[in-house]
């Protein structure tokens, strides 16, 4: 059984919550974060008491909040072994029509999906380096192909490049870096146009995360691309 400290951003639902459940089963102590920490109370109560689960309000768009949290976790729990940069946002966009969200609403998605994991990595790296830890980032199958008019896809392309840049800089530190790229996942926000498409459950993605984290320290699983059976590679 693992005994390390596992921090999850965007832990209140979907992939983050499913990963927290599996990490708890594996024996990790958990730090669960979301912008609204009240949404984490029920999950935390199911996964353990305050000596096993730490709930924190944290906005990944704000570096200082992340840095303060990482420092507190290491100081009070003595370690930080896995950081799962999972928080994300999505809105429908178009560059040629008024379909989808207006441009004024795009900034939150870009800040959350691009600056969020970048800030998380920077804030976590001192502790991860000290403890030969593991950084996991949630990308997307959408970050591997062109999706017309889709700014969300472009943000996940950015996460793909970000993971590679971080991994290259971590050579020689003992820190492992894994990019998990899920296909369509049923996290409650699927657009009606894709409601009938094949979907992964959040637990399917969580198992991929725990697989990467569970490898021996000498093994660095760089990328995991996981799609539901039957999903078109270009959707």
């Amino acid at each position: 059984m693992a005994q390390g400290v596992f921090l999850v951003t965007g832990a209140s639902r979907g992939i983050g919550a499913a990963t927290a459940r599996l990490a708890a089963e594996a024996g990790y102590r958990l730090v669960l974060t979301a912008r609204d920490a009240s949404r984490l109370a029920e999950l935390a109560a199911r996964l353990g008491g305050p000596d096993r689960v730490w709930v924190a309000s944290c906005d990944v768009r704000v570096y200082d909040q992340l840095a303060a949290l990482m420092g507190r976790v290491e100081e009070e729990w003595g370690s930080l072994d896995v950081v799962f940069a999972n928080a994300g946002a999505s809105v429908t966009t178009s560059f040629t029509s008024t379909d989808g969200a207006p441009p004024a609403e795009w900034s939150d998605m870009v800040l959350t999906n691009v600056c969020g994991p970048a800030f998380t990595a920077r804030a976590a790296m001192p502790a991860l380096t000290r403890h030969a830890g593991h950084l996991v980032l949630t990308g997307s199958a959408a970050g591997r192909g062109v999706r017309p008019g889709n700014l969300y896809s472009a943000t996940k392309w950015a996460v793909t490049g970000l993971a590679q840049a971080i991994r290259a800089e971590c050579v020689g530190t003992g820190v492992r870096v894994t990019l998990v790229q899920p296909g369509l996942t049923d996290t409650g926000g699927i657009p009606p146009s894709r409601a009938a498409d094949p979907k992964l459950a959040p637990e399917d993605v969580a198992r991929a995360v725990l697989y990467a984290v569970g490898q021996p320290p000498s093994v660095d699983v760089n990328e995991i691309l996981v799609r539901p059976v039957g999903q078109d590679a270009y959707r």
Side-chain angles (χ1 to χ4, degrees):
M1 293 284 285
Q3 294 296 323
V5 178
F6 197 126
L7 184 148
V8 182
T9 70
S12 61
R13 63 184 181 88
I15 293 169
T19 302
R21 288 191 290 269
L22 291 188
E25 291 176 7
Y28 285 98
R29 289 177 292 168
L30 301 174
V31 181
L32 307 181
T33 82
R35 292 186 196 179
D36 182 1
S38 66
R39 298 178 60 185
L40 295 167
E42 182 180 349
L43 175 63
R46 293 200 305 269
L47 298 183
D51 61 327
R52 301 294 304 174
V53 184
W54 178 343
V55 169
S57 175
C58 189
D59 187 339
V60 299
R61 300 170 301 176
V62 182
Y63 174 76
D64 288 348
Q65 290 186 20
L66 287 159
L69 176 62
M70 304 293 178
R72 285 175 54 211
V73 170
E74 189 181 21
E75 180 180 351
E76 296 189 24
W77 274 3
S79 187
L80 185 56
D81 303 282
V82 182
V83 172
F84 184 23
N86 169 71
S90 177
V91 296
T92 301
T93 59
S94 172
F95 298 102
T96 61
S97 75
T98 57
D99 293 342
E105 297 179 11
W106 297 0
S107 296
D108 177 74
M109 177 176 67
V110 174
L111 287 171
T112 302
N113 292 3
V114 181
C115 289
F119 289 167
T120 301
R122 178 63 183 84
M125 203 53 65
L128 292 179
T129 300
R130 281 189 284 271
H131 303 286
H134 198 147
L135 176 69
V136 183
L137 303 98
T138 299
S140 173
R144 298 176 64 93
V146 175
R147 311 290 172 94
N150 194 317
L151 181 57
Y152 170 81
S153 174
T155 68
K156 291 302 185 178
W157 273 80
V159 177
T160 299
L162 177 64
Q164 294 177 7
I166 295 169
R167 186 181 305 112
E169 192 173 11
C170 285
V171 169
T173 67
V175 175
R176 299 186 289 173
V177 180
T178 297
L179 174 66
V180 177
Q181 299 177 304
L184 185 63
T185 305
D186 190 1
T187 58
I190 294 174
S193 62
R194 303 199 65 185
D197 288 1
K199 296 179 260 320
L200 296 169
E203 291 75 16
D204 299 326
V205 185
R207 283 192 293 272
V209 174
L210 268 292
Y211 165 78
V213 169
Q215 298 306 300
S218 59
V219 177
D220 189 2
V221 179
N222 292 174
E223 295 187 11
I224 300 178
L225 171 62
V226 53
R227 293 188 179 101
V229 173
Q231 179 180 336
D232 186 333
Y234 298 98
R235 294 203 67 191

